[in-house]
Amino acid sequence: MRLLIPYSLALLLLCIGSVVGANTLIVGNKYEGTVSFIDLENGEEIKRQETGGSPHELILSPDKSKVVVVSYLEDGYVGEELNVFDVQTGKRTKVIDISPHMGPHGIMWLGDSENLIVTTEETHDVIKVNVVSGKVLSSVSTDQIGSHLLALSPDNKTAYVTSRGSDTFSVIDTENMKLKSTLPAGDGPEAVWVSPDGKELWIGNNRSKNIFIYDTDTMKKIDTIDVGYLPIRIQFHPNGEQVAVADLQGNRVVIYDAAKRKELKSIDLQAAAAREPASLLFSPDGKFLFVGSQRDGKVVEIDTGEWSIKRIFRAGQGSDGLGWSPVKVQP
């Protein structure tokens, strides 16, 4: 069942939306090479700063004071850098040169350390980077085509990397940066996420339009959900009971019961004039789900108690990677 909200109501919600608190939402605007800093108390974009080219994904530091943004690739450009911003000031404080590794995309912070793990798609590898020193510490080759996104186990010791061009995913030991195994996925695997208890790995396959579920202990496939659409992103609710999936071409977010693998709700984003949803981000308390609309330069805020649209935030063109911080950005 799809949730329909009149466009007039969506516009009203832009003005009178619910108050989340004095927190900051950070958005990578991949079509214009900028990063937006949005005050979640009033829903306003406080700053928009230039970053490196094609900022598809980003990640917050453990203390949420810094955000690191990739410079991926696009026509005529291949990124070789990571850009570090201070959340409070919105200023870029460092540019990390990762060459000869190229095309960074998927990015995660390794626990409470100073280190990141990043897929570098153009050079078919995964790198570990120290943000303080600005140095690449180590790398491991996936030897696969299109190593795009990654997810981490709860203990941060294992990374799972999807490779769209090879129809595989790689299992990597993040402590020693060693490739443990390469396993088959569906056609065009991209979305990847690990359940909060670490027991299940969910992989979205773009071309075969299904989701594969693996047992992380045995690395055996235990289930398949034939969704019938392109599941561009997957993310578990912090409670582990629901899973959000972005339907890129259907302009909606679909919520599943994680245990039963059954659809609970379909949220129509076209009601808020927000098309081509890609990125998903739950607030730490699980009360809100943020969805990037890359077609329309917006972020949609969804109340997870009702699974209903509450507010729509304006960002830049190609709103994609999302991050949340309790640090208030200064005007």
Side-chain angles (χ1 to χ4, degrees), residues 12 18 114:
L12 179 63
S18 61
E114 299 173 346

Side-chain angles (χ1 to χ4, degrees), residues 1-4 226-233 244-256 263 265-271 274-280 289 291-292 302 309:
M1 179 181 69
R2 293 197 178 203
L3 177 66
L4 297 177
D226 292 315
V227 297
Y229 59 83
L230 193 160
I232 192 73
R233 292 292 183 274
V245 182
D247 176 2
L248 180 73
Q249 297 169 335
N251 302 311
R252 62 183 182 139
V253 175
V254 185
I255 308 301
Y256 291 88
E263 181 178 325
K265 182 77 76 170
S266 175
I267 305 165
D268 182 13
L269 301 179
Q270 290 192 102
R275 296 167 294 175
E276 295 185 6
S279 52
L280 300 169
L289 172 65
V291 185
I302 295 170
I309 296 173

Side-chain angles (χ1 to χ4, degrees), residues 179-197:
L179 178 65
K180 297 172 67 175
S181 58
T182 302
L183 300 169
D187 297 337
E190 181 169 349
V192 59
W193 206 257
V194 181
S195 60
D197 62 9

Side-chain angles (χ1 to χ4, degrees), residues 15-26:
C15 301
I16 64 171
S18 61
V19 174
V20 175
N23 304 316
T24 300
L25 185 71
I26 303 99

Side-chain angles (χ1 to χ4, degrees), residues 45-314:
E45 182 186 42
I46 305 301
K47 289 188 177 180
R48 187 182 301 183
Q49 304 283 55
E50 289 188 3
T51 184
S54 199
H56 280 227
E57 299 291 329
L58 53 83
I59 195 69
L60 272 292
S61 60
D63 65 1
K64 310 301 182 186
S65 67
K66 300 179 182 65
V67 59
V68 182
V69 186
V70 304
S71 289
Y72 178 49
L73 55 85
E74 57 194 24
D75 289 344
Y77 172 81
V78 179
E80 299 181 1
E81 66 185 43
L82 306 176
N83 293 266
V84 184
F85 289 82
D86 177 78
V87 174
Q88 185 175 39
T89 64
K91 293 181 178 179
R92 181 162 47 183
T93 60
K94 182 181 295 186
V95 177
I96 300 175
D97 181 358
I98 62 168
S99 60
H101 309 284
M102 299 188 299
H105 188 271
I107 183 169
M108 298 291 286
W109 210 290
L110 290 169
D112 293 329
S113 72
E114 299 173 346
N115 300 330
L116 302 170
I117 186 168
V118 187
T119 63
T120 38
E121 184 173 328
E122 193 72 2
T123 41
H124 313 293
D125 47 19
V126 178
I127 61 175
K128 183 185 290 188
V129 179
N130 184 280
V131 177
V132 175
S133 68
K135 302 295 184 182
V136 176
L137 302 178
S138 55
S139 66
V140 55
S141 174
T142 63
D143 197 30
Q144 303 295 296
I145 300 170
S147 297
H148 194 63
L149 282 177
L150 63 85
L152 287 174
S153 60
D155 63 6
N156 296 287
K157 293 182 180 180
T158 305
Y160 304 95
V161 178
T162 49
S163 294
R164 299 182 295 181
S166 296
D167 298 335
T168 60
F169 69 97
S170 304
V171 183
I172 293 173
D173 176 343
T174 63
E175 294 184 309
N176 301 306
M177 290 300 284
K178 299 293 184 182
L179 178 65
K180 297 172 67 175
S181 58
T182 302
L183 300 169
D187 297 337
E190 181 169 349
V192 59
W193 206 257
V194 181
S195 60
D197 62 9
K199 293 181 179 180
E200 292 185 352
L201 175 72
W202 288 44
I203 293 176
N205 301 297
N206 293 348
R207 293 193 302 274
S208 53
K209 298 182 179 180
N210 54 20
I211 296 171
F212 284 4
I213 302 173
Y214 286 80
D215 182 307
T216 56
D217 287 333
T218 64
M219 292 316 303
K220 301 292 185 182
K221 187 174 70 168
I222 57 175
D223 216 339
T224 300
I225 305 174
D226 292 315
V227 297
Y229 59 83
L230 193 160
I232 192 73
R233 292 292 183 274
I234 295 172
Q235 191 163 131
F236 271 80
H237 188 283
N239 67 16
E241 296 177 1
Q242 297 92 29
V243 180
V245 182
D247 176 2
L248 180 73
Q249 297 169 335
N251 302 311
R252 62 183 182 139
V253 175
V254 185
I255 308 301
Y256 291 88
D257 181 301
K260 297 179 180 179
R261 328 293 199 208
K262 299 296 184 182
E263 181 178 325
L264 297 174
K265 182 77 76 170
S266 175
I267 305 165
D268 182 13
L269 301 179
Q270 290 192 102
R275 296 167 294 175
E276 295 185 6
S279 52
L280 300 169
L281 178 71
F282 281 100
S283 60
D285 60 10
K287 292 181 178 180
F288 297 93
L289 172 65
F290 302 103
V291 185
S293 165
Q294 59 184 11
R295 176 76 176 271
D296 296 294
K298 300 175 182 177
V299 178
V300 178
E301 177 190 83
I302 295 170
D303 183 329
T304 61
E306 303 172 348
W307 295 113
S308 61
I309 296 173
K310 304 303 290 187
R311 294 190 290 179
I312 304 97
F313 310 124
R314 298 286 180 177

